[in-house]
Amino acid sequence: MLQVAFLRDHKQDVISRLAKRNIDAADDINKAIDLDEDRRTIQTKLDNTKAESNTLSKEIGSLFKAGQVQKANVLKAKTTELKETTKSLEQELNLKVEALNELLYKIPNVPNTIVPSGNTDEDNEETFREGEIPQLYDGALPHWELAKKYDIIDFELGNKITGAGFPVYKGKGARLQRALITYFLDKNTEAGYTEYQVPHLVNEASGFGTGQLPDKEGQMYHVTADNLYLIPTAEVPATNIFRDTLLNESDLPISITGYTPCFRREAGSYGAHVRGLNRLHQFDKVEILRVEHPDNSYKALDGMVEHVKGILNELKLPYRILKLCGGDLGFTSALTYDFEVFSTAQDRWLEISSVSNFETFQANRLKLRFKNSEGKNELCHTLNGSSLALPRVLAGILENYQTEEGIKVPEVLIPYTGFDMIS
RNA sequence: GGAGAAAUGGCAGAGUGGUCGAAUGCACCAGUCUUGAAAACUGGCGAGGGUCACACCUCCGGGGGUUCGAAUCCCUCUUUCUCCGCCA
């Protein structure tokens, strides 16, 4: 969420930049500023009332000690009114705070100035392209056919055990996926990211901290008996490591990576585009996450993009990078680069990574701060990205590396798989 | 799952109704002494809101209550520890 003080000080700028998301936030922002004004007025009144009763209480205390019970009782009577005032002011204050928060939760992050305007994913700006699109043999298959042909992923079995969107990986398919996970984690730790293993279920406070709650609970599986949520991404537990944290400036930057399964309800989407591995209820992902000094976060974002590029270059997959336009930008992000791998057999681009700078948007909600050189507490910037989402990378490999003899294993993965061909 | 104990500043640890935002020790910062360091001594040292700066308000695991007044009493939740049970 944005800070009210920031809205107040940069109102016009915020409104015009939010317009890139095709939203007119002027009303909400004005309301928020007004509510904050009211809130502070009430707060001051409340503080003064409390100060008064504190003073009285102290006097009563010393009168009792001095044995002047009658005088004390006179003062006691006086406090009754103050108590009532306090109570009603508190109620008023709560109403204002709730109304203010409700508004602030609704306002998305302010896009960076370099975010292109646009409405849909068609308006995203391609900034980079690498890798050759392979010429496949006649009769090349989409990955769900390949999965069946070589018996490496069983979608029907998943249907039986759980339901649609929960595939079962078998034999070399399972091994290839595990190889990719290990390979990604190795690349990330080599680049200075510390590997973490985090819980796969989170509590309400964590879901709130990263913004899935209160509005997007439909995205997550909810374990009602214990009021826990299955994570939709490692971002949730990994970012909440830093909830309510005050860091030293010298602790920054923090770079962590972790592998987790991800669970998404993704209700109501079926069809060709979600076939096979394209869209699942459970999938694996390796995530990278950084906590940065505000002065350094965009440099860090570039570094993350370069890092993911390095991995895709090594895998020799054809990919492109898109700078997301305002209309396609995630709610919490200020700037996002998407990576897409070209799936030759499906003849389409598949999103495999999304790298974002959230600036202070998450940190504000998380209360993630550092003590700056002036000794003041300042919000950190948070960033994260996938490196990478497994199913679509797997799909890309199966489809782009297929030959008539079988599916070749990318060279960098052979040490991890122990085989060089799926046939 | 059952029984019991506990949760206080960076850490340790006092505090059971009123000058307690909280003793003391360690750690940390500054200074004195010293060629330098250590030791010793002196001073400072939690967080959030608010203010130009003060004042002032809030915070002793979370939430609620009793009271003129709560770290202290009551209710509730969470977590930790000990013992028993179960278990990869």
Side-chain angles (χ1 to χ4, degrees):
Chain A
M1 65 199 271
L2 296 166
Q3 298 170 91
V4 193
F6 183 81
L7 294 180
R8 205 169 44 222
D9 298 342
H10 304 89
K11 192 167 115 182
Q12 282 316 317
D13 188 35
V14 169
I15 291 171
S16 64
R17 279 159 73 183
L18 281 174
K20 277 194 186 169
R21 292 182 179 270
N22 311 311
I23 58 168
D24 180 5
D27 273 2
D28 283 349
I29 290 173
N30 282 326
K31 269 188 217 156
I33 292 171
D34 288 348
L35 279 169
D36 184 54
E37 194 84 45
D38 295 350
R39 197 210 86 216
R40 284 181 299 157
T41 310
I42 296 168
Q43 182 80 59
T44 309
K45 272 194 214 161
L46 178 62
D47 284 359
N48 291 339
T49 312
K50 278 183 174 172
E52 218 176 305
S53 29
N54 285 346
T55 314
L56 277 177
S57 291
K58 271 182 192 155
E59 275 176 47
I60 292 168
S62 45
L63 283 175
F64 270 126
K65 254 191 188 158
Q68 307 197 30
V69 180
Q70 271 198 328
K71 274 192 181 174
N73 283 331
V74 173
L75 290 186
K76 255 186 168 178
K78 270 177 142 181
T79 60
T80 320
E81 197 188 330
L82 285 175
K83 275 181 91 174
E84 273 167 28
T85 312
T86 305
K87 218 169 206 165
S88 71
L89 283 174
E90 272 173 350
Q91 279 170 4
E92 236 181 290
L93 185 70
N94 280 338
L95 288 178
K96 292 289 178 193
V97 169
E98 272 171 38
L100 176 60
N101 282 339
E102 218 169 283
L103 265 181
L104 290 177
Y105 295 152
K106 267 172 46 186
I107 303 173
N109 202 357
V110 180
N112 187 287
T113 47
I114 67 164
V115 168
S117 43
N119 299 314
T120 67
D121 53 2
E122 291 182 6
D123 301 315
N124 294 335
E125 183 185 310
E126 185 174 323
T127 60
F128 187 81
R129 193 181 276 225
E130 174 105 19
E132 273 187 36
I133 292 169
Q135 292 292 316
L136 296 181
Y137 62 97
D138 279 350
L141 298 168
H143 68 266
W144 53 87
E145 303 282 356
L146 293 167
K148 195 174 271 180
K149 180 173 174 188
Y150 297 109
D151 195 27
I152 49 176
I153 306 170
D154 195 327
F155 293 98
E156 279 78 48
L157 196 50
N159 290 345
K160 171 176 147 185
I161 301 169
T162 307
F166 293 90
V168 175
Y169 302 86
K170 301 197 281 191
K172 285 184 172 174
R175 181 64 187 245
L176 179 58
Q177 174 137 271
R178 178 157 61 89
L180 278 164
I181 293 165
T182 312
Y183 164 69
F184 293 152
L185 286 171
D186 283 356
K187 292 299 289 181
N188 296 346
T189 49
E190 271 166 35
Y193 293 89
T194 305
E195 184 175 344
Y196 274 63
Q197 288 187 0
V198 292
H200 300 167
L201 282 91
V202 294
N203 58 28
E204 247 178 349
S206 292
F208 180 80
T210 30
Q212 279 71 25
L213 300 175
D215 287 336
K216 291 165 203 141
E217 60 261 83
Q219 181 195 80
M220 294 191 287
Y221 287 98
H222 186 197
V223 181
T224 50
D226 298 288
N227 197 25
L228 297 173
Y229 294 86
L230 273 76
I231 56 170
T233 158
E235 172 190 338
V236 180
T239 307
N240 274 283
I241 292 172
F242 302 102
R243 174 153 44 88
D244 292 320
T245 301
L246 182 63
L247 298 165
N248 294 314
E249 196 165 8
S250 59
D251 295 331
L252 301 173
I254 294 170
S255 313
I256 70 178
T257 184
Y259 152 72
T260 68
C262 302
F263 303 89
R264 296 190 184 176
R265 296 185 65 227
E266 309 275 11
S269 42
Y270 296 94
H273 276 197
V274 301
R275 253 189 115 164
L277 296 172
N278 289 348
R279 197 154 189 188
L280 300 169
H281 286 307
Q282 179 182 328
F283 64 96
D284 292 306
K285 185 155 62 68
V286 175
E287 191 81 355
I288 49 178
L289 180 145
R290 300 180 70 114
V291 180
E292 286 283 346
H293 191 287
D295 295 343
N296 198 45
S297 68
Y298 279 95
K299 217 174 117 191
L301 182 69
D302 291 342
M304 290 165 83
V305 168
E306 286 307 311
H307 176 66
V308 175
K309 272 162 80 173
I311 293 175
L312 288 167
N313 289 341
E314 278 196 2
L315 285 174
K316 297 199 168 87
L317 288 170
Y319 69 97
R320 64 178 185 179
I321 302 176
L322 303 171
K323 190 195 290 171
L324 294 195
C325 72
D328 207 24
L329 194 64
F331 187 82
T332 53
S333 176
L335 179 62
T336 296
Y337 291 101
D338 270 9
F339 283 71
E340 296 185 337
V341 156
F342 191 74
S343 158
T344 313
Q346 292 183 67
D347 192 30
R348 59 187 280 247
W349 295 93
L350 300 174
E351 183 192 331
I352 49 157
S353 176
S354 191
V355 184
S356 304
N357 188 354
F358 306 105
E359 298 190 1
T360 60
F361 196 85
Q362 287 185 326
N364 187 34
R365 220 189 241 216
L366 291 165
K367 289 202 180 71
L368 165 55
R369 297 158 305 168
F370 70 99
K371 208 167 260 305
N372 69 19
S373 47
E374 286 158 19
K376 293 255 184 198
N377 298 333
E378 201 178 327
L379 291 172
C380 300
H381 280 195
T382 59
L383 303 91
N384 71 42
S386 6
S387 84
L388 295 152
L390 269 296
R392 292 178 189 162
V393 172
L394 197 60
I397 289 174
L398 296 180
E399 293 177 1
N400 288 311
Y401 277 85
Q402 63 181 306
T403 68
E404 282 174 285
E405 290 75 45
I407 299 159
K408 288 197 284 186
V409 174
E411 219 176 303
V412 283
L413 293 179
I414 295 172
Y416 291 94
T417 54
F419 54 83
D420 59 8
M421 184 74 111
I422 297 171
S423 53

